[in-house]
Amino acid sequence: MSSREIEIATELAAVESQIAAAAAKAGRDRSEITLIAVTKTYPASDVEILRNLGVQNFGENRNEEGVAKSAQVSGTWHFQGQVQSRKLRDIAGWASFIHSLDSAEHVEKLSRIATEVGREISIFLQLSLDGAPDRGGVIKPELMALADSVANLPQIKLVGLMCVPPVEYEHERAFSEIAEIHEGFLTNYPAATFLSAGMSSDYQIAISHGATHLRIGSQILGSRPYHP
Ligand SMILES: *Cc1c(COP(=O)(O)O)cnc(C)c1O
């Protein structure tokens, strides 16, 4: 093994054991939780290493990186970056899951594209706890209206909610609020069982509040040279 392989294997094992411990502590089955390795800014060679270590889900924030790496490494690819309308067609070509949708127009466009290419796309609606525009997402009072307007679009499967808590929020408070909103959401959309929440700094708390999809980058691959 190369030194990079050893490094990634070590960090991945540490994250895996923390996921298992947090799941056990919460009385949850590890199999309910999907680890998405966020490979943004890292080379395809790192994705290849992760793939050989058994990781199957990869996440990217930028279309260009997703296009390139998904062509080199097979797996289930997720897009969690800010959505730009003109990039949706390209993103739909490689991403099976889009986590960061917060506009009906974008989902409608995605539905038209997905219908054209005959591909079903799974989507998460992005929730915002504080409405700050830089992180994206819709606030709770707007969430149901957004879901109602996209729920029955062809080739779109609404699988759940995604949230990136504001940095200044205390973790426990943020994730219990997210969990409560997700629970309310399930009353109207019982099939939207996924909760994409939890990153390197907070995934254990996210697990204790029901997260089903963890998006973890730096904890596995090391700190990034830039932060898109
Ligand atoms: C970068 C990013 C992640 C991964 O962040 P880490 O702190 O490196 O684990 C997860 N979700 C989103 C939306 C991101 O932009």
Side-chain angles (χ1 to χ4, degrees):
M1 279 218 264
S2 70
S3 61
R4 185 60 175 151
E5 283 172 301
I6 293 165
E7 193 170 64
I8 293 176
T10 307
E11 296 308 323
L12 177 66
V15 166
E16 272 299 349
S17 83
Q18 276 159 2
I19 292 172
K25 198 170 156 205
R28 301 182 58 198
D29 197 315
R30 169 67 184 86
S31 66
E32 293 169 17
I33 299 163
T34 300
L35 168 63
I36 301 166
V38 174
T39 49
K40 66 184 183 197
T41 78
Y42 298 100
S45 54
D46 281 359
V47 187
E48 189 79 55
I49 292 171
L50 286 166
R51 176 78 217 194
N52 292 337
L53 291 166
V55 176
Q56 282 159 13
N57 288 271
F58 305 104
E60 288 289 339
N61 279 48
R62 291 181 178 185
N63 174 57
E64 292 72 14
E65 282 191 66
V67 168
K69 293 178 211 172
S70 64
Q72 293 182 57
V73 187
S74 67
T76 301
W77 286 83
H78 301 250
F79 180 82
Q80 78 250 328
Q82 200 185 11
V83 173
Q84 289 171 284
S85 183
R86 65 192 169 85
K87 301 269 176 81
L88 273 175
R89 181 174 295 276
D90 287 348
I91 295 168
W94 58 269
S96 307
F97 291 83
I98 301 183
H99 292 240
S100 38
L101 286 157
D102 60 5
S103 118
E105 280 146 63
H106 287 164
V107 188
E108 282 157 11
K109 181 168 179 183
L110 196 59
S111 171
R112 288 194 296 274
I113 293 165
T115 304
E116 244 177 75
V117 300
R119 189 161 185 231
E120 187 182 68
I121 311 228
S122 294
I123 66 158
F124 292 80
L125 297 180
Q126 186 177 347
L127 165 72
S128 168
L129 293 183
D130 64 354
D134 52 322
R135 232 173 297 104
V138 294
I139 51 173
K140 185 188 167 192
E142 292 165 9
L143 184 62
M144 270 323 166
L146 174 61
D148 291 347
S149 67
V150 302
N152 296 311
L153 292 174
Q155 299 296 103
I156 296 291
K157 190 174 169 198
L158 174 56
V159 294
L161 300 183
M162 183 275 240
C163 190
V164 179
V167 279
E168 66 275 15
Y169 273 41
E170 193 257 316
H171 289 159
E172 195 64 36
R173 172 189 162 204
F175 288 101
S176 58
E177 211 172 298
I178 293 166
E180 194 183 309
I181 294 169
H182 185 225
E183 208 164 295
F185 191 75
L186 282 169
T187 329
N188 291 22
Y189 292 99
T193 54
F194 291 169
L195 184 58
S196 170
M199 307 177 22
S200 288
S201 57
D202 54 20
Y203 66 91
Q204 287 142 296
I205 299 158
I207 291 169
S208 73
H209 290 285
T212 63
H213 288 66
L214 314 172
R215 308 178 314 274
I216 303 180
S218 51
Q219 194 70 37
I220 300 171
L221 293 167
S223 52
R224 279 181 294 273
Y226 71 96
H227 299 267

